[in-house]
Amino acid sequence: MSYQNILVETKGRVGIIRLNRPQALNALNQALMAELTQAVQAFDADDAVGCMLLTGSEKAFAAGADIKEMADKSFIDAYGGNFAADWHGIAQARKPVVAAVAGFALGGGCEIAMQCDIIIAADTAKFGQPEIKLGVIPGIGGTQRLTRAVGKAKAMDLVLTGRNMDAAEAERAGLVARVVPAASLMDEAMKVAETIAGMSLPSVLAGKESVNAAFESSLAEGVRFERRIFHSLFATEDQKEGMKAFVEKRKPDWKNK
Ligand code: CO8
């Protein structure tokens, strides 16, 4: 598959997608988002891939939706055309997606980072939802995912003032899993992705699905869901292998089934 706006490669069992519109700081236009969704779906369906890694450039993960592409839209263009309804491809992936974020992750850029499962940030990263400064609000989940990630106080602060958070603040607030020096961002993010890709895939899928259930259900319902998924993993060969390997003091040999 040849793409114009992203670069795609596989290293071991990690599928890597790099946003690649340097002239526009990786601003998200329709073409880029269609390619991103296609690449995510392809890795999700590929048995040779256990985890994905999404990144941008040193200067920008993504500086938001493409303002030049959006500027002249009418209400009917946006509403009638259901603008950006198909910009949720990462959130729909079953395999985990690690975001490696350096530089600007603003607006839609912050929103697609939040669609990923783990954000590793370079110390240069800046997160924000500046849409208010353009006379709009976040439109691909920002008000919902940011609020769940950092709570009402900071979400209101960012969404209503449009200010940016640096990497240290984003880590303190719980948006970011780890902050690393910019020079080692890809190495550190790859280590995380490789670690996940080296686990048994059924339990990785189950772990991701169960954590995500916490955002969609009551505590009691989520705990019941988790227990049923836990039970179901006893049907896998990898559960037998994982526990046997522990007892025999050796590394498990996962079959991903
Ligand atoms: N859209 C289009 N072009 C962009 C964008 C963008 N979001 N961001 C940067 N660019 C372009 C610039 O226009 C410039 O192009 P050119 O060289 O042709 O003038 C080039 O990228 C480099 O940018 P700057 O010269 O501005 O670089 P600086 O280092 O001076 O500034 C900033 C970097 C601070 C990131 C600045 O570019 C900026 O403020 N960008 C806009 C950030 C923003 O407002 N993002 C939110 C966009 S709205 C959004 O994301 C909504 C998501 C929901 C959509 C779905 C709704 C349903």
Side-chain angles (χ1 to χ4, degrees):
M1 179 60 65
S2 90
Y3 297 110
Q4 310 304 314
N5 301 283
I6 60 173
L7 301 171
V8 170
E9 64 175 317
T10 307
K11 278 195 184 154
R13 285 182 52 77
V14 178
I16 304 170
I17 303 171
R18 185 181 287 275
L19 306 177
N20 189 38
R21 286 190 76 208
Q23 72 283 10
L25 300 183
N26 293 333
L28 311 171
N29 61 11
Q30 198 62 51
L32 182 151
M33 290 307 291
E35 290 182 3
L36 178 58
T37 298
Q38 216 176 333
V40 167
Q41 286 173 349
F43 280 143
D44 219 23
D46 185 344
D47 287 343
V49 168
C51 185
M52 291 174 247
L53 192 157
L54 177 66
T55 194
S57 69
E58 272 176 34
K59 182 163 183 196
F61 178 75
D66 191 318
I67 299 167
K68 293 166 191 167
E69 193 180 71
M70 262 185 313
D72 293 331
K73 278 191 194 298
S74 67
F75 167 74
I76 280 299
D77 292 336
Y79 179 69
N82 212 3
F83 174 45
D86 54 351
W87 288 18
H88 298 264
I90 300 167
Q92 284 156 4
R94 294 190 68 208
K95 290 174 187 163
V97 185
V98 174
V101 176
F104 298 108
L106 303 180
C110 187
E111 291 174 296
I112 62 167
M114 291 190 293
Q115 285 186 33
C116 298
D117 302 296
I118 299 175
I119 302 177
I120 310 294
D123 49 13
T124 58
K126 288 193 171 23
F127 298 88
Q129 298 290 163
E131 290 91 341
I132 196 92
K133 297 189 203 165
L134 300 167
V136 290
I137 64 167
I140 43 174
T143 60
Q144 306 305 298
R145 289 199 178 88
L146 186 65
T147 307
R148 282 164 169 75
V150 306
K152 177 180 169 182
K154 266 201 203 293
M156 284 290 189
D157 181 2
L158 295 188
V159 169
L160 299 184
T161 71
R163 81 170 173 90
N164 293 344
M165 271 197 297
D166 65 16
E169 183 181 359
E171 187 184 29
R172 279 198 307 277
L175 179 63
V176 155
R178 306 182 197 179
V179 180
V180 299
S184 54
L185 175 66
M186 280 306 281
D187 286 348
E188 295 298 325
M190 271 302 284
K191 276 188 218 160
V192 174
E194 278 164 351
T195 300
I196 295 168
M199 302 294 174
S200 161
L201 185 60
S203 47
V204 167
L205 298 178
K208 169 170 171 167
E209 193 173 356
S210 295
V211 171
N212 279 336
F215 297 102
E216 308 282 355
S217 58
S218 67
L219 178 60
E221 179 59 25
V223 169
R224 196 190 66 80
F225 177 80
E226 178 198 74
R227 189 168 58 248
R228 293 298 177 228
I229 296 270
F230 181 92
H231 292 160
S232 73
L233 289 170
F234 283 78
T236 66
E237 289 179 22
D238 282 350
Q239 174 272 325
K240 301 286 172 294
E241 167 63 10
M243 294 193 182
K244 195 160 175 261
F246 175 82
V247 173
E248 292 172 359
K249 300 188 189 298
R250 60 171 175 82
K251 277 193 167 175
D253 178 16
W254 303 124
K255 300 288 185 243
N256 294 326
K257 56 185 185 179

